[in-house]
Amino acid sequence: MELKEIRIKNFRTIETEQHLRIPGSMTIVGPNNSGKTNLLKAVQLLFTGLNNSYGYTRDSDLSFGASKSRTSIVATFEGDPSKENEIYEAIDELHELQGTTRSGNQINLNLYFTDTNTPVYSFFPNAKRPKGAKSVQYSRTHISLVNRVLGSFSLHYVPSAKSVDQIYSELLAPFLRRRVSKVIEPYINKIDESLNDAAFSLNKELEIAGLHDLVASFSLPSQSIEKLVSGFDFLLSDPQKTPIQEKGMGIQTTALLAAFRWITKQEISEGRSVLWLLEEPESYLHPNLAESCNTILENLATEASVIKTTHSMAFVPQDPNLVSGTYLNTAKRTEIKQYKTFTEAVSSIRSALGIKFGDFYNLAVFNVLVEGQSDREIFEWLLNIIPPEKHQFPTLRKAKFEDFGGVKHLSGFLRATYQFIKNEYACVTVFDGDEAGEIERKALQGYFGNCKIDFEANKHFVSVRSRFAIEGLFPDEWLINIQKENSAWFDSFSIDASGELEPFKIKDSHKSNIQRSLIAKAEAENNLNWATRFIAVCGVIDKSLADLHENLKKVGKKNNK
């Protein structure tokens, strides 16, 4: 029998019915206090409702403000009638008694709590139960079936607050005692003989002392072999063998997680399905152990159903179908959402923790992304030489310039990160207008267009002078004169029939020479007439940065409401 889905309504922060799929393994991510733990507790409640060992009360567990409603949890199970024939025979009997017919192998079990905190289970909440003699038979079969379905599962809930000692004593130690007791069981007669021998010897001494009415005897604790075994030393070697309690917290937790699969195997051998509810397994782990522990949990999920909550990107599976997210709606109620991609799921975690993708690249509030070092140096020099009182560029002057060693590297960075950083920081990309820049710019526009990601000219990116590299922003006359004096600095250079400068290509080895010559000419000027093209480009970048920043602020305020 497998648990396929659980539907929860009016339980704690979960008011409107929410569906949690359980495809063998499910990881729940979301901000703190968004209802992740409540989902785990709802699953726990379903399996412990028979005698309300969970301790449900309307005062603390019914959604606030839902006083006229009741908590409802519906589980969908699916099994194999050929292997679990008793369960399906009972289901068919209930169908027959109420005049309906089973369709498929799925079984829905509904649990709700009355005003007096009494749990009520039903397989057909909307169907009318039979009356008369059939009513007694129906109730007897129904109660037996509820016990059989829930009893076919072993549930283990491991909250993040539980200590390693508690996990060991409550989970692992009992299974060890049970396993060892089976080994001891064939020798029970010899144990009794040894105990009787000891008692006989003691009673002989009592008789010698004249205490004939005082008779001693020994027996197993509560007649239980398991209680005979009080405990075990859990040792780890790394390479020195010491008790687990003397290891670091991360090592202790890792070792216990590894034991979960052994526990699962023991329960499967006893004919039960196993369900693990793990709250933030990374809580006690050193980051270096996260990958190893995640592998352990993935292996566990091959034999048991594992539902875990996490704030760690390392514990999020690559398959988005195995991830669900929680968030609070405008009414501060929990809702579940699904993700289309792994990156979307981990982006949710980063947002929840206040970790920004751009922080890994040391991005600033305002960023200008340029192709190479020479582009960055020219812009930084330009902003120093142009007086703020003439051209303020207030946003651009606060910006951080990032260069990428060439347009292909810049393009690769944008493909990998732009969809994330655009939602975090104001970033404007500057492309040269030459052939290489144009090719990469067009390719990125096509790529982002297919991904439905905005990447618009003079908003998200800026191209310098059409068909020219950044040096083409300097006056044409200067470039023509430099070429006349140093033609070896250029791979190609031409002037059209009307005397207009055509696109040129500078040798990489001489870019710095031409840059120094152009800067020297500019610094010798008494005015900024030479900077007309530069000023136009800087004006567009400045406005784009300001607009993007304002949009991000608006989105942030909207999300915080």
Side-chain angles (χ1 to χ4, degrees):
M1 188 66 63
E2 294 181 357
L3 177 62
K4 308 298 288 186
E5 181 188 65
I6 189 164
R7 307 197 304 271
I8 309 152
K9 184 178 181 180
N10 294 319
F11 177 65
R12 296 192 167 193
T13 59
I14 306 165
E15 186 172 20
T16 59
E17 186 172 76
Q18 299 297 310
H19 294 231
L20 178 65
R21 298 176 301 103
I22 307 173
S25 174
M26 176 52 66
T27 299
I28 304 170
V29 301
N32 283 328
N33 300 315
S34 63
K36 298 188 299 297
T37 298
N38 290 341
L39 292 175
L40 296 186
K41 289 186 176 295
V43 178
Q44 181 189 29
L45 180 60
L46 175 83
F47 285 92
T48 58
L50 275 174
N51 47 22
N52 196 15
S53 59
Y54 168 85
Y56 175 92
T57 63
R58 287 175 63 87
D59 289 343
S60 60
D61 294 309
L62 183 67
S63 296
F64 179 75
S67 57
K68 295 182 180 180
S69 302
R70 61 191 183 191
T71 296
S72 171
I73 300 174
V74 181
T76 299
F77 298 96
E78 187 168 9
D80 184 346
S82 65
K83 296 179 180 179
E84 294 149 325
N85 58 304
E86 291 184 353
I87 288 177
Y88 283 94
E89 285 176 0
I91 279 287
D92 290 339
E93 182 180 345
L94 293 180
H95 273 294
E96 183 179 352
L97 289 170
Q98 66 186 16
T100 56
T101 304
R102 172 167 61 91
S103 176
N105 297 333
Q106 289 195 341
I107 300 172
N108 290 325
L109 179 60
N110 178 282
L111 168 66
Y112 72 86
F113 286 82
T114 67
D115 292 346
T116 58
N117 301 321
T118 302
V120 178
Y121 284 97
S122 62
F123 291 99
F124 315 106
N126 299 320
K128 291 184 178 180
R129 293 194 175 196
K131 297 180 180 180
K134 289 185 177 181
S135 176
V136 176
Q137 182 183 354
Y138 188 97
S139 295
R140 184 170 57 248
T141 303
H142 179 271
I143 293 171
S144 174
L145 181 58
V146 171
N147 281 283
R148 188 172 286 127
V149 170
L150 297 180
S152 67
F153 282 84
S154 287
L155 175 75
H156 301 294
Y157 182 15
V158 186
S160 60
K162 185 166 286 191
S163 69
V164 170
D165 285 341
Q166 286 177 304
I167 296 173
Y168 172 73
S169 61
E170 295 175 15
L171 282 177
L172 182 56
F175 281 92
L176 290 172
R177 284 195 292 268
R178 191 181 309 172
R179 185 69 178 269
V180 171
S181 68
K182 290 180 179 179
V183 176
I184 296 174
E185 191 170 3
Y187 303 96
I188 189 66
N189 291 333
K190 291 186 177 182
I191 293 173
D192 286 336
E193 287 177 6
S194 296
L195 294 175
N196 290 336
D197 286 345
F200 178 80
S201 177
L202 190 153
N203 288 328
K204 276 289 186 184
E205 295 299 318
L206 291 174
E207 287 180 14
I208 294 172
L211 300 173
H212 301 284
D213 295 331
L214 191 61
V215 180
S217 63
F218 297 102
S219 67
L220 296 177
S222 303
Q223 299 299 313
S224 169
I225 299 177
E226 286 187 37
K227 291 187 177 180
L228 174 65
V229 184
S230 60
F232 306 90
D233 288 335
F234 191 171
L235 306 175
L236 291 175
S237 299
D238 59 352
Q240 184 178 2
K241 183 183 291 186
T242 55
I244 186 175
Q245 292 82 1
E246 296 181 14
K247 301 298 183 184
M249 186 63 74
I251 294 294
Q252 293 183 42
T253 307
T254 304
L256 285 174
L257 288 178
F260 288 177
R261 193 175 185 191
W262 179 80
I263 293 173
T264 297
K265 289 178 181 292
Q266 309 311 304
E267 295 182 314
I268 290 175
S269 69
E270 296 171 359
R272 292 193 298 275
S273 300
V274 187
L275 180 60
W276 290 91
L277 308 178
L278 307 176
E279 188 178 346
E280 298 176 14
E282 72 273 13
S283 297
Y284 302 124
L285 294 177
H286 188 281
N288 288 343
L289 294 172
E291 184 176 351
S292 297
C293 286
N294 190 44
T295 300
I296 290 172
L297 294 181
E298 288 177 350
N299 291 335
L300 178 64
T302 63
E303 300 187 74
S305 292
V306 179
I307 307 175
K308 66 179 183 288
T309 66
T310 187
H311 287 296
S312 171
M313 290 183 282
F315 282 88
V316 180
Q318 291 288 328
D319 186 350
N321 292 315
L322 304 181
V323 186
S324 291
T326 58
Y327 69 97
L328 296 180
N329 59 22
T330 54
K332 303 299 181 183
R333 294 291 188 260
T334 297
E335 292 193 17
I336 296 175
K337 61 181 176 181
Q338 305 306 136
Y339 299 105
K340 295 181 180 179
T341 63
F342 166 78
T343 52
E344 187 182 356
V346 295
S347 178
S348 173
I349 289 180
R350 286 196 302 271
S351 298
L353 295 179
I355 300 173
K356 293 183 177 181
F357 194 92
D359 292 343
F360 293 102
Y361 300 96
N362 198 29
L363 296 182
V365 177
F366 305 102
N367 303 274
V368 180
L369 313 180
V370 297
E371 294 180 10
Q373 179 180 343
S374 61
D375 301 76
R376 174 178 56 79
E377 291 174 347
I378 287 175
F379 274 114
E380 290 174 344
W381 161 80
L382 182 73
L383 292 172
N384 282 325
I385 199 173
I386 295 179
E389 56 271 19
K390 290 191 175 182
H391 296 281
Q392 291 186 350
F393 304 137
T395 308
L396 180 57
R397 291 183 187 276
K398 299 176 186 176
K400 180 180 180 182
F401 286 84
E402 296 277 359
D403 66 79
F404 292 85
V407 68
K408 285 192 174 294
H409 294 296
L410 171 60
S411 177
F413 174 80
L414 291 173
R415 284 175 182 266
T417 67
Y418 182 69
Q419 61 178 310
F420 307 117
I421 62 175
K422 74 181 183 65
N423 297 320
E424 300 172 347
Y425 297 111
C427 297
V428 173
T429 301
V430 178
F431 292 103
D432 283 357
D434 58 11
E435 182 180 7
E438 185 179 15
I439 289 172
E440 293 300 328
R441 184 259 302 167
K442 288 182 177 179
L444 284 170
Q445 283 183 284
Y447 174 77
F448 290 132
N450 290 334
C451 297
K452 295 182 170 52
I453 297 172
D454 290 339
F455 194 64
E456 300 178 25
N458 299 327
K459 183 176 180 181
H460 304 102
F461 73 86
V462 173
S463 291
V464 302
R465 184 179 176 185
S466 178
R467 301 171 64 212
F468 285 84
I470 193 170
E471 291 83 2
L473 294 178
F474 286 95
D476 291 357
E477 182 183 352
W478 294 4
L479 289 159
I480 293 170
N481 289 335
I482 289 175
Q483 193 275 336
K484 287 179 179 178
E485 296 171 2
N486 304 279
S487 61
W489 291 359
F490 294 83
D491 274 329
S492 63
F493 194 91
S494 178
I495 300 172
D496 67 15
S498 62
E500 295 293 325
L501 180 66
E502 293 189 311
F504 55 85
K505 182 170 176 48
I506 301 171
K507 290 181 178 179
D508 290 339
S509 58
H510 289 289
K511 271 186 171 291
S512 58
N513 292 333
I514 292 179
Q515 182 178 319
R516 283 194 296 269
S517 297
L518 291 169
I519 287 175
K521 288 179 179 293
E523 291 178 345
E525 294 291 307
N526 296 323
N527 55 54
L528 295 175
N529 293 339
W530 62 270
T532 302
R533 294 192 185 104
F534 275 111
I535 291 169
V537 171
C538 288
V540 174
I541 298 173
D542 182 75
K543 183 178 185 306
S544 297
L545 286 171
D547 290 345
L548 291 173
H549 183 63
E550 283 302 311
N551 289 338
L552 288 173
K553 287 169 61 176
K554 290 177 182 178
V555 172
K557 289 179 180 179
K558 183 179 179 181
N559 291 339
N560 290 329
K561 287 184 179 179

